Amino acid sequence: LSRFSRLHPGVHLALKTGLSCDLLQAYDEGELDVVIAKKDRSAQRGRVIWREPLVWMCAADFELDPQAPLPLVLLRSPCTYRQLMLEALSARGQDWNIVCTASSLMSVQAAVAGGLGLTVLGRSFMQAGMRTWQTPSGWAPLPKTEITVIGEESADSEIVAPLVDFLTEYLAAGRAQASLPS
């Protein structure tokens, strides 16, 4: 976003970050012009601008105790990923224990990288010190996550369209870079 601001110095952006549910509520209350948020399974609105696989993540040195419940790191409710994890584990009859309820994505990443437990996030949120956790055979694959833009049709399209295009191009470039062999 700072690069976008440098390229478009006449545009004033007032950025608000937070959980998708909080951003959508702020939008519904007229506090925000445009929201980029995770698509909620119950709220089917907005235009999808990004899709990526969801993956189970753990610390690079995480070792599961097969006798213990799965330790979970989750965002607070309501959270689509939280709900998806708990439903997937319940469907498998897998015991689990919430070891950390985080208030932000960065808190989830820090707790997972620190070895507290497992979580489900979009693949692009993998950080140093983390790896994909391979689920036991027979587990259903996780769906893709979808990121949507909401409000672009009612906002100033001269500002919003280039911003959304810039962000999706940036995400696509990051995906291409991540898939290059190292």
Side-chain angles (χ1 to χ4, degrees), residues 4 7 13 16 23 30 34 44 52 58-59 61 66-67 80 87 92 111 118 151 154 156 166-167 169 182:
F4 179 84
L7 293 172
L13 293 177
K16 179 177 182 174
L23 295 174
V34 178
Q44 302 295 312
E52 74 174 323
C58 62
D61 61 354
Q67 305 304 316
T80 304
E87 288 172 1
R92 295 290 314 152
L118 306 163
S154 58
D156 186 344
F166 184 84
L167 289 173
E169 287 170 15
S182 30

Side-chain angles (χ1 to χ4, degrees), residues 19-21 24 37-44 54 74-88 119-121 142-147:
L19 301 179
S20 293
C21 60
L24 291 170
K38 218 176 26 203
K39 190 171 193 176
D40 185 334
R41 295 190 292 184
S42 62
Q44 302 295 312
L54 290 174
L74 309 169
L75 284 166
R76 66 173 171 78
S77 289
C79 173
T80 304
Y81 298 165
R82 176 190 180 106
Q83 182 180 348
L84 188 129
M85 274 189 281
L86 299 180
E87 288 172 1
T119 199
V120 168
L121 291 173
L142 294 170
K144 287 189 175 190
T145 187
E146 295 182 324
I147 305 302

Side-chain angles (χ1 to χ4, degrees), residues 96-113:
W96 49 269
N97 185 29
I98 298 173
V99 296
C100 178
T101 300
S103 60
S104 70
L105 174 63
M106 288 177 59
S107 299
V108 168
Q109 291 168 310
V112 170

